Amino acid sequence: MSPVTCITGPNGSGKTNLLDAVYYLCYTKSYFSAYQQNSVQNGLDGFRVTGNFNRQGKEESISCKWKAGKKEIYANDVEYEKVTDHIGVYSAVMIAPDDTELINGSSELRRKWVDSILGQVDKTYLEKLMHYQRLLLQRNAWLKNQSVKPSADYTELDYYNAEMDMDAAYIYEQRKIFLEQFLPLLDNFYHRLCGGKEPVNVVYTSDLSQKPLKDWLAQNLQHDLRYQRTLRGIHKDDWDFSVNNLQLKQFGSQGQKKSFLFAMKLAQYAYLSKVQGHLPILLLDDIFEKLDQSRMEALLHIINGDDFGQVILTDTHPERIRQAFGTGAEVGYIYL
Amino acid sequence: MIFSSKLVEDAVQEFAKLPGIGKKTALRMVLQLLRLEEGEVDEFTGAVSRMRHGVKFCKECHNVSDSEVCGICVNNGRNRHQICVVETIRDVIAIESTQQYNGLYHVLGGILSPLDGIGPEQLNIGTLHNRIKNDDATEIIMALSPTIEGDTTVYYIARQLKDLPVTITTIARGISFGGELEYADEMTLARSIAKRLPIENYVTIQGK
């Protein structure tokens, strides 16, 4: 495939689906749907996605089979023992129209976004996060059981607190370090996209910036018991985005949000390529519809640079892409 | 599945209740029983029925047993200073098959998991405490799965026993025996390196 590939076709022809298939082969899950079942064609009980990748000059065929809840991943027809072994081998960054949710939506989306980035570059992070989440479930179940049948025996709670404290300390530290590295990248892309000098900032807010989790859990026990869940911890972390020292979610214009979002995704791309040592695939879903001329040109200029690799995009109007990239550009087209 | 006999259908239904047995396998089993002499089938059902009615749980260690106290607990040849704590009866069978352990057992009947509604009162922890207090045990070996629930249980029991004069140990975790390093998963390998052991555990160095 050429460095830039445009998937084009009428509405409902499956452009985004094809884009999502590439994402699926990188992360073994859909970018758009959280439920695996939703990726299956109506009336069928499974699916198979296959794609040929080229990594360091070697061709590799990646295949993913999903049937009745069971997922199998094959590389050159050899099955992976664990699906997680495949994560991190290939990476992709998707930019889609609905992504402004990352700015406007709940904190859970932002945590998921950061976790998905850190989880693919740091296996320990992923392990500790999964460990923490399981402990949190058990701790909350314990709190709930206490309200039904109170017991004076807090031994289990002591264990959950101590283990969660260790996991949380690591996760907090890594999230902090991540932001330090991420912020300069974000700042750079934001200003390259829309010029200007307005300062952009991201502030990481976490209960752990005040005191370690074990102190929170100890002091907050009565609250936790009353609400029957754990109220403090890294599962409540959030990131505050601001432009010109004003909170983006509340005061930002649509245009600022869009630029900020693109800058975030491009910074995510730059961060992944720096840490992983190879260039992810950039997937752009129908974004030219939403951009004005100047930002579109700036975006094209950025993704045509040496710091970016293969780009796959969807658009209903191939002429628009032909025009935007110029006549000299090597752009491949897939007509659906 | 359509049966010409209600009797056969009922039997198939019963077999299909067993774990890992689907309707087709159940039918195969029933057809096999049909081929046997009536007396042989009586022997078969008798054994199942006697097993369910006659089986007891050892009042010492909660293992399955034919009598009040199980064969392992009454065996005087076994080391009464060691008690191995396991989750289920299956674990006893697995450890016994190694023929490497000569101590006693204690079957908890589960592990602590508030999500599944299993708290300390559902497990045989109180009787373990009594056994250690009254008997000769000096070492408690925790042979539980290395999961959050297993580790919670180890922690819980260790806390319960902290005032008693026993040593608490836990089974080693890491590279499986005869396994090759490159095939070990990263988490296990990382842990094995973090919790490495002095080589004296494995070999004796001549002349040292």
Side-chain angles (χ1 to χ4, degrees):
Chain A
M1 278 165 95
S2 25
V4 179
T5 305
C6 173
I7 304 169
T8 185
N11 279 326
S13 61
K15 298 184 292 296
T16 303
N17 235 349
L18 193 54
L19 208 59
D20 200 23
V22 176
Y23 188 90
Y24 196 97
L25 287 172
C26 292
Y27 297 116
T28 75
K29 62 180 180 209
S30 161
Y31 183 78
F32 298 99
S33 163
Y35 298 100
Q36 305 263 344
Q37 183 64 44
N38 291 358
S39 302
V40 181
Q41 193 182 339
N42 249 342
L44 298 182
D45 61 352
F47 64 84
R48 182 189 180 94
V49 196
T50 304
N52 291 323
F53 287 78
N54 197 316
R55 180 167 55 131
Q56 287 144 15
K58 266 201 209 119
E59 193 141 304
E60 191 175 37
S61 139
I62 303 292
S63 198
C64 184
K65 203 170 95 184
W66 192 96
K67 197 178 175 192
K70 216 174 129 358
K71 191 155 66 179
E72 289 166 10
I73 316 288
Y74 300 83
N76 284 335
D77 296 324
V78 182
E79 190 182 347
Y80 278 97
E81 261 182 59
K82 280 191 308 187
V83 174
T84 48
D85 288 345
H86 178 64
I87 313 293
V89 176
Y90 296 100
S91 44
V93 175
M94 172 89 81
I95 311 183
D98 287 343
D99 282 342
T100 32
E101 276 298 288
L102 204 53
I103 292 165
N104 295 324
S106 73
S107 62
E108 193 188 348
L109 297 168
R110 288 181 285 282
R111 283 192 298 276
K112 274 197 176 149
W113 178 69
V114 171
D115 290 342
S116 78
I117 297 170
L118 288 176
Q120 62 180 303
V121 298
D122 180 357
K123 283 252 154 71
T124 312
Y125 182 91
L126 192 62
E127 252 163 44
K128 292 204 182 265
L129 183 70
M130 279 161 39
H131 195 244
Y132 179 91
Q133 282 164 345
R134 180 78 189 167
L135 286 161
L136 182 65
L137 279 178
Q138 289 287 16
R139 189 180 193 270
N140 287 346
W142 186 90
L143 291 167
K144 205 158 278 169
N145 293 350
Q146 276 289 308
S147 73
V148 185
K149 201 168 48 146
S151 131
D153 185 352
Y154 283 14
T155 316
E156 287 161 89
L157 189 73
D158 290 344
Y159 181 77
Y160 298 141
N161 289 2
E163 291 284 304
M164 282 168 78
D165 179 65
M166 281 196 284
D167 293 334
Y170 182 86
I171 292 164
Y172 170 68
E173 200 53 41
Q174 295 308 310
R175 285 178 179 174
K176 222 167 63 180
I177 295 169
F178 166 72
L179 185 60
E180 282 165 21
Q181 297 173 339
F182 184 78
L183 202 49
L185 298 170
L186 176 77
D187 188 272
N188 174 10
F189 284 120
Y190 184 86
H191 292 111
R192 275 166 75 186
L193 272 176
C194 54
K197 289 266 181 292
E198 42 184 16
V200 292
N201 199 16
V202 179
V203 178
Y204 172 40
T205 56
S206 174
D207 293 329
L208 269 73
S209 61
Q210 295 170 48
K211 53 189 167 194
L213 183 62
K214 64 173 190 300
D215 295 352
W216 276 117
L217 295 179
Q219 287 161 22
N220 248 31
L221 180 60
Q222 290 314 316
H223 279 93
D224 284 357
L225 280 168
R226 199 169 320 131
Y227 287 93
Q228 298 173 33
R229 63 195 150 84
T230 308
L231 298 167
R232 300 286 188 162
I234 52 133
H235 58 289
K236 298 280 173 189
D237 284 3
D238 200 358
W239 287 263
D240 271 331
F241 305 139
S242 66
V243 172
N244 241 344
N245 299 317
L246 289 172
Q247 200 194 18
L248 191 61
K249 189 174 182 171
Q250 274 195 303
F251 304 106
S253 69
Q254 289 304 319
Q256 280 175 325
K257 284 180 183 172
K258 220 174 288 167
S259 302
F260 198 92
L261 179 80
F262 275 78
M264 272 172 78
K265 293 294 181 118
L266 295 171
Q268 171 186 357
Y269 187 100
Y271 177 84
L272 286 177
S273 64
K274 197 173 82 184
V275 179
Q276 296 182 315
H278 59 85
L279 298 175
I281 303 169
L282 187 63
L283 304 169
L284 307 175
D285 185 25
D286 218 6
I287 56 164
F288 292 99
E289 195 99 354
K290 308 277 193 298
L291 282 182
D292 55 62
Q293 191 64 28
S294 74
R295 277 182 298 180
M296 183 157 106
E297 276 166 17
L299 177 65
L300 288 175
H301 187 73
I302 291 170
I303 64 177
N304 274 326
D306 289 340
D307 302 337
F308 282 77
Q310 187 178 21
V311 180
I312 306 177
L313 50 91
T314 65
D315 205 300
T316 41
H317 300 86
E319 321 81 63
R320 175 160 53 194
I321 300 301
R322 215 165 278 142
Q323 225 169 41
F325 278 87
T327 40
E330 196 188 328
V331 180
Y333 291 89
I334 297 174
Y335 296 92
L336 295 179
Chain B
M1 233 178 253
I2 296 158
F3 297 96
S4 55
S5 152
K6 178 86 172 85
L7 294 170
V8 170
E9 186 177 347
D10 286 349
V12 169
Q13 295 280 8
E14 291 303 316
F15 273 106
K17 283 183 189 167
L18 298 174
I21 308 291
K23 273 239 165 127
K24 282 187 179 162
T25 315
L27 181 62
R28 247 174 76 201
M29 292 174 166
V30 170
L31 294 179
Q32 176 62 26
L33 289 175
L34 269 180
R35 232 173 287 154
L36 297 179
E37 297 291 328
E38 282 181 15
E40 285 177 292
V41 177
D42 286 343
E43 236 169 80
F44 179 90
T45 54
V48 174
S49 178
R50 280 195 305 279
M51 180 273 290
R52 188 60 194 95
H53 287 293
V55 85
K56 291 189 179 70
F57 291 92
C58 172
K59 68 178 170 56
E60 290 286 325
C61 71
H62 310 284
N63 193 7
V64 277
S65 165
D66 296 341
S67 45
E68 288 287 299
V69 180
C70 76
I72 294 173
C73 287
V74 293
N75 185 345
N76 277 325
R78 298 195 72 117
N79 180 354
R80 313 198 79 81
H81 297 295
Q82 285 179 330
I83 297 179
C84 181
V85 177
V86 295
E87 181 184 342
T88 67
I89 291 152
R90 266 161 60 179
D91 301 327
V92 175
I93 296 167
I95 296 173
E96 278 298 286
S97 308
T98 67
Q99 303 193 345
Q100 291 296 312
Y101 177 69
N102 194 34
L104 305 177
Y105 289 94
H106 192 87
V107 181
L108 291 175
I111 44 179
L112 293 174
S113 175
L115 273 177
D116 302 305
I118 301 178
E121 62 283 357
Q122 270 93 359
L123 305 182
N124 301 317
I125 292 177
T127 49
L128 176 65
H129 194 269
N130 290 339
R131 271 180 87 185
I132 295 164
K133 221 157 60 182
N134 303 330
D135 297 347
D136 319 323
T138 53
E139 183 184 357
I140 304 299
I141 303 165
M142 300 283 190
L144 302 177
S145 307
T147 57
I148 287 172
E149 292 74 24
D151 287 344
T152 309
T153 313
V154 169
Y155 177 85
Y156 187 90
I157 294 175
R159 276 271 295 266
Q160 294 285 306
L161 305 180
K162 72 176 182 339
D163 296 327
L164 296 174
V166 283
T167 315
I168 301 174
T169 56
T170 170
I171 50 168
R173 302 165 179 196
I175 302 301
S176 61
F177 191 74
E180 286 186 44
L181 224 52
E182 59 174 318
Y183 294 120
D185 71 285
E186 282 163 33
M187 191 174 167
T188 306
L189 195 53
R191 224 192 139 110
S192 301
I193 288 175
K195 308 269 171 179
R196 62 197 179 276
L197 294 169
I199 55 166
E200 284 78 14
N201 282 285
Y202 297 106
V203 286
T204 328
I205 308 288
Q206 295 290 317
K208 196 174 173 183

